[in-house]
């Protein structure tokens, strides 16, 4: 029997917290000595309520620092947790050769967050930029019975061996993307997911391979809208 993790399946499951909430600000989760995952906790987060969680994956050759600042203020204003993992290698394992150590660390990080907060099962998002967008798409569609929203900023490809659930998809891509041309990435990805029956919001913008703050704001609103079918 094939190990489900090799197919990209997470073992994480929602649980009630067993530890007190964390103080506001950034927290290293302590799952790795180098390139640790961190969690951003906004001020004034209500205790004993289901808390929305966005997991944000950086681009190839990137780091948590390069993407977190796009979302931290939104997390503060909209009262959601922001978890930012970092790939073990220069990019995510599926880009290099298949599901492996990054998926394992993602499971561990999610379990750490769940020790302190009950994650809202209706607002649980995987988001990412570039290679991180490819990772969010791939792992999000594979675990769509867990993840409710997938946000893709200029993603490249999908590596999906099995599809579960029906997450809502938000894809945005630049018309002049020089690294991942829109004709071979953003547009066909959106078309494939629409053809597969997913609820897809697709936006193109005048720009290159980048994250656009105005579109980040739209993506946050999309994420915080509870799906009607869950």
């Amino acid at each position: 029997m094939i190990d489900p993790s090799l197919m990209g399946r997470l073992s994480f499951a929602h649980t009630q917290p067993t530890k007190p909430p964390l103080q506001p600000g950034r927290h290293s989760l302590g799952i790795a000595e180098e390139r640790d995952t961190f969690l951003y906790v906004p001020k004034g987060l209500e205790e004993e309520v289901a808390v929305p969680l966005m997991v944000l994956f950086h681009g190839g050759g990137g780091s948590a620092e390069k993407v977190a600042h796009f979302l931290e203020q939104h997390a503060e204003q909209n009262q959601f947790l922001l978890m930012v993992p970092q790939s073990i290698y220069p990019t995510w394992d599926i880009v290099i050769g298949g599901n492996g150590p990054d998926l394992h660390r993602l499971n561990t990080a999610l379990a750490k967050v769940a020790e302190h907060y009950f994650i809202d099962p209706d607002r649980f998002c995987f988001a990412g930029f570039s290679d991180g967008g490819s990772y969010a798409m791939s792992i999000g569609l594979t675990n769509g019975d867990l993840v409710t929203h997938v946000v893709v900023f200029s993603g490249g490809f999908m590596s999906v061996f099995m599809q579960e659930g029906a997450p809502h998809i938000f894809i945005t891509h630049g018309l002049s993307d020089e690294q991942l041309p829109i004709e071979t990435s953003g547009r066909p990805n959106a078309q494939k997911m629409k053809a597969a029956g997913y609820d897809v919001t697709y936006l193109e913008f005048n720009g290159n391979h980048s994250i656009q703050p105005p579109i980040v704001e739209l993506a946050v609103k999309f994420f915080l809208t509870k799906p009607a079918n869950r």
Side-chain angles (χ1 to χ4, degrees):
M1 184 176 178
I2 297 176
D3 183 344
S5 67
L6 296 177
M7 308 292 283
R9 287 289 290 173
L10 292 163
S11 60
F12 172 79
H14 290 287
T15 58
Q16 292 294 331
T18 58
K19 298 180 180 180
L22 300 170
Q23 293 296 313
R26 284 190 185 184
H27 297 267
S28 294
L29 294 183
I31 64 172
E33 292 185 5
E34 296 182 359
R35 295 180 64 80
D36 196 9
T37 296
F38 78 72
L39 180 72
Y40 183 82
V41 179
K43 298 182 182 71
L45 194 64
E46 292 186 46
E47 297 183 20
E48 300 180 0
V49 298
V51 183
L53 171 66
M54 176 181 282
V55 181
L56 179 64
F57 303 101
H58 62 75
S63 66
E65 292 289 342
K66 289 186 177 180
V67 293
H69 66 94
F70 287 102
L71 270 302
E72 281 183 333
Q73 190 58 44
H74 289 284
E76 192 70 43
Q77 292 172 352
N78 294 281
Q79 296 286 282
F80 64 87
L81 295 168
L82 177 66
M83 190 180 100
V84 192
Q86 301 190 85
S87 60
I88 295 176
Y89 302 107
T91 192
W92 301 95
D93 50 16
I94 63 165
V95 181
I96 298 171
N99 294 293
D102 288 330
L103 188 75
H104 175 74
R105 294 213 317 194
L106 178 59
N107 264 317
T108 303
L110 289 170
K112 286 273 189 180
V113 173
E115 290 179 351
H116 299 276
Y117 300 95
F118 179 68
I119 298 169
D120 189 340
D122 291 324
R123 289 179 293 179
F124 185 1
C125 177
F126 281 0
F129 169 64
S130 192
D131 278 3
S134 298
Y135 197 73
M137 273 193 291
S138 302
I139 303 302
L141 297 187
T142 304
N143 296 277
D145 50 343
L146 177 69
V147 176
T148 60
H149 297 75
V150 175
V151 172
V152 183
F153 300 108
S154 303
F157 68 94
M158 291 177 281
S159 178
V160 180
F161 297 100
M162 58 187 299
Q163 296 167 246
E164 294 288 346
H168 293 243
I169 315 295
F170 182 100
I171 299 176
T172 178
H173 214 99
L175 290 168
S176 56
D177 192 319
E178 72 289 357
Q179 295 188 36
L180 296 170
I182 195 169
E183 295 84 2
T184 57
S185 49
R187 288 174 182 167
N189 287 337
Q191 291 168 358
K192 288 175 185 177
M193 283 188 271
K194 287 179 180 179
Y198 290 102
D199 177 12
V200 179
T201 298
Y202 177 64
L203 293 177
E204 298 180 351
F205 61 89
N206 290 316
N208 58 6
H209 193 67
S210 60
I211 298 176
Q212 300 288 319
I215 294 180
V216 171
E217 185 172 354
L218 294 176
V220 168
K221 291 179 180 178
F222 167 85
F223 153 53
L224 294 175
T225 301
K226 289 188 178 183
N229 62 346
R230 296 185 73 94

